Amino acid sequence: MTIALYPGSFDPITNGHIDIATRASKLFDKTVIGIFSTPEKHLTFSIEERVDLARRAVAHLPKVEVKPYTNITVDFAKQINAQVLVRGLRMISDFEWEFEMAMMNRMLSPGLETVCFMASQEFQFLSASLIKEVASLGGNISSLVPPHVAEALKKKGVSKA
Ligand code: ADP
């Protein structure tokens, strides 16, 4: 059984993330969206909120689960018996960072393979931070996130639309 871990901060989950999880779930027996509790970035949503938003977003995908984690990603991968780390590549600019991380993770955990999915064209420009910026300026984000995420951004006062 091949288990894949798709780690990230998911603050909040976007249609781009959901696209990657959907495509990963076609290749692997189980895909776990791992939500890291304390990334080094300013967060809009708490870990509980990010998990809840992600769970609702992938409820229709039977082979996808959402789990929070607090330790280093490679240790969490071991904990859940994942053999694969899934990441998404949007632009060339993502590549450098993803490559560095993949090398570091391979050094830390030699058996763990990183598999990068190319972003789908319609989501190539999508990032959680850009969505929050657009929402805060009153832009329409309804085609970029599921309705419950748009609602949560409104409740948080991020979205002025
Ligand atoms: P991190 O804090 O680890 O960058 P993110 O939640 O921002 O976490 O992203 C997790 C992964 O999803 C990263 O590999 C990122 O490149 C990828 N990703 C983010 N947005 C998209 C998108 N629109 N299309 C494809 N992959 C994406």
Side-chain angles (χ1 to χ4, degrees), residues 6-10 14 16-17 20 41 87-90 94 98 119 123 126-127:
Y6 178 26
S9 36
F10 302 96
T14 70
H17 293 129
I20 299 293
K41 43 169 113 163
R87 298 287 289 175
L89 287 180
R90 287 160 292 190
D94 273 346
E98 294 296 342
F123 302 130
L126 255 199
S127 68

Side-chain angles (χ1 to χ4, degrees), residues 6-17 19-20 23 39 41 69 86-90 94 97-98 101 116-120 122-129:
Y6 178 26
S9 36
F10 302 96
D11 184 46
I13 194 161
T14 70
N15 288 348
H17 293 129
D19 178 57
I20 299 293
R23 287 162 57 199
K41 43 169 113 163
Y69 71 101
V86 165
R87 298 287 289 175
L89 287 180
R90 287 160 292 190
D94 273 346
W97 169 240
E98 294 296 342
M101 276 227 302
C116 288
F117 285 73
M118 303 303 141
S120 296
E122 66 264 45
F123 302 130
Q124 213 169 9
F125 62 95
L126 255 199
S127 68
S129 53

Side-chain angles (χ1 to χ4, degrees), residues 1 21 33 63 103-104 135:
M1 168 148 170
I33 295 180
K63 290 178 1 181
M103 292 301 118
M104 177 57 80

Side-chain angles (χ1 to χ4, degrees), residues 77-118:
K78 259 190 211 129
Q79 210 175 301
I80 61 167
N81 296 316
Q83 303 95 322
V84 175
L85 272 186
V86 165
R87 298 287 289 175
L89 287 180
R90 287 160 292 190
M91 317 273 172
I92 299 232
S93 52
D94 273 346
F95 177 78
E96 225 173 302
W97 169 240
E98 294 296 342
F99 191 75
E100 247 177 56
M101 276 227 302
M103 292 301 118
M104 177 57 80
N105 285 333
R106 181 183 292 168
M107 195 216 60
L108 294 170
S109 184
L112 188 62
E113 282 296 344
T114 298
V115 173
C116 288
F117 285 73
M118 303 303 141

